Coordinates of all heavy atoms in Angstrom, one line a residue:
H143 N 36.5 -143.7 -198.8 CA 36.7 -145.1 -198.7 C 35.8 -145.8 -199.8 O 36.0 -147.0 -200.1 CB 36.3 -145.6 -197.3 CG 37.2 -145.1 -196.3 ND1 36.9 -145.1 -194.9 CD2 38.5 -144.7 -196.3 CE1 37.9 -144.6 -194.2 NE2 38.9 -144.3 -195.0
S144 N 34.8 -145.1 -200.3 CA 33.9 -145.7 -201.3 C 34.5 -145.7 -202.7 O 34.0 -146.5 -203.6 CB 32.6 -145.0 -201.3 OG 32.7 -143.7 -201.9
V145 N 35.5 -144.9 -202.9 CA 36.1 -144.8 -204.2 C 37.1 -146.0 -204.4 O 38.0 -146.2 -203.6 CB 36.9 -143.5 -204.4 CG1 37.5 -143.4 -205.8 CG2 35.9 -142.3 -204.2
P146 N 36.9 -146.8 -205.5 CA 37.8 -147.9 -205.7 C 39.2 -147.5 -205.8 O 39.5 -146.5 -206.5 CB 37.3 -148.5 -207.1 CG 35.9 -148.0 -207.2 CD 35.8 -146.7 -206.5
V147 N 40.1 -148.2 -205.2 CA 41.5 -147.9 -205.2 C 42.2 -148.3 -206.4 O 43.1 -147.6 -207.0 CB 42.2 -148.5 -203.9 CG1 43.7 -148.1 -203.9 CG2 41.6 -148.0 -202.7
G148 N 41.8 -149.5 -206.9 CA 42.5 -150.1 -208.0 C 42.2 -149.5 -209.4 O 42.9 -149.8 -210.4
G149 N 41.2 -148.8 -209.6 CA 40.8 -148.2 -210.9 C 40.4 -146.8 -210.8 O 40.2 -146.3 -209.7
R150 N 40.2 -146.2 -211.9 CA 39.8 -144.8 -211.9 C 38.3 -144.7 -212.1 O 37.9 -144.8 -213.3 CB 40.6 -144.0 -212.9 CG 40.3 -142.5 -212.8 CD 41.2 -141.6 -213.7 NE 41.0 -140.2 -213.5 CZ 41.7 -139.5 -212.7 NH1 42.6 -140.1 -212.0 NH2 41.4 -138.2 -212.5
A151 N 37.5 -144.5 -211.1 CA 36.1 -144.4 -211.2 C 35.7 -143.0 -211.0 O 35.9 -142.4 -210.0 CB 35.4 -145.4 -210.2
A152 N 35.0 -142.4 -211.9 CA 34.5 -141.1 -211.8 C 33.4 -141.0 -210.8 O 32.6 -141.9 -210.7 CB 34.0 -140.5 -213.1
T153 N 33.4 -140.0 -210.0 CA 32.3 -139.8 -209.0 C 31.2 -138.9 -209.6 O 31.4 -138.2 -210.5 CB 32.9 -139.1 -207.7 OG1 33.5 -137.9 -208.1 CG2 34.0 -140.0 -207.1
T154 N 30.1 -139.1 -209.0 CA 29.0 -138.3 -209.5 C 28.5 -137.4 -208.3 O 28.8 -137.6 -207.2 CB 27.8 -139.2 -209.9 OG1 27.5 -140.1 -208.8 CG2 28.3 -140.1 -211.1
G155 N 27.6 -136.5 -208.6 CA 27.0 -135.7 -207.6 C 27.9 -134.5 -207.2 O 27.7 -134.0 -206.1
T156 N 28.9 -134.1 -208.0 CA 29.7 -133.0 -207.6 C 28.9 -131.7 -207.5 O 28.1 -131.4 -208.3 CB 30.8 -132.8 -208.7 OG1 31.5 -134.0 -208.8 CG2 31.7 -131.7 -208.3
V157 N 29.1 -131.1 -206.4 CA 28.3 -129.9 -206.1 C 29.1 -128.6 -206.5 O 30.4 -128.6 -206.6 CB 27.9 -129.8 -204.6 CG1 27.1 -131.0 -204.2 CG2 29.2 -129.7 -203.7
D158 N 28.4 -127.5 -206.7 CA 29.1 -126.3 -207.0 C 29.8 -125.8 -205.8 O 29.2 -125.6 -204.7 CB 27.9 -125.3 -207.4 CG 28.5 -124.0 -208.0 OD1 29.7 -123.7 -207.7 OD2 27.8 -123.3 -208.7
P159 N 31.1 -125.4 -205.9 CA 31.9 -125.0 -204.7 C 31.5 -123.5 -204.3 O 32.0 -123.1 -203.3 CB 33.3 -125.0 -205.2 CG 33.2 -124.9 -206.7 CD 32.0 -125.6 -207.1
L160 N 30.7 -122.9 -205.1 CA 30.3 -121.5 -204.8 C 29.2 -121.5 -203.7 O 28.0 -121.3 -204.0 CB 29.8 -120.7 -206.0 CG 30.9 -120.3 -207.0 CD1 30.3 -119.7 -208.2 CD2 31.9 -119.4 -206.4
V161 N 29.6 -121.8 -202.5 CA 28.6 -121.9 -201.4 C 28.8 -120.8 -200.4 O 28.1 -120.7 -199.4 CB 28.8 -123.3 -200.7 CG1 28.4 -124.4 -201.6 CG2 30.2 -123.4 -200.1
G162 N 29.7 -119.8 -200.7 CA 29.9 -118.7 -199.8 C 29.1 -117.5 -200.1 O 28.3 -117.5 -201.0
D163 N 29.3 -116.5 -199.3 CA 28.6 -115.2 -199.3 C 29.5 -114.2 -199.9 O 30.5 -113.8 -199.3 CB 28.1 -114.8 -197.9 CG 27.3 -113.6 -197.9 OD1 27.5 -112.7 -198.8 OD2 26.4 -113.4 -197.1
A164 N 29.2 -113.7 -201.1 CA 30.1 -112.7 -201.8 C 30.3 -111.4 -200.9 O 31.4 -110.9 -200.9 CB 29.6 -112.4 -203.1
K165 N 29.2 -110.9 -200.3 CA 29.3 -109.7 -199.5 C 30.2 -109.9 -198.3 O 31.0 -109.1 -197.9 CB 27.9 -109.3 -199.0 CG 27.0 -108.8 -200.1 CD 27.6 -107.4 -200.6 CE 26.7 -106.8 -201.7 NZ 27.2 -105.5 -202.2
A166 N 30.1 -111.1 -197.7 CA 31.0 -111.4 -196.5 C 32.4 -111.6 -197.0 O 33.3 -111.2 -196.3 CB 30.5 -112.7 -195.8

Side-chain angles (χ1 to χ4, degrees):
H143 296 160
S144 73
V145 181
V147 181
R150 189 175 185 90
T153 58
T154 58
T156 301
V157 299
D158 190 339
L160 288 176
V161 295
D163 184 329
K165 289 294 183 182

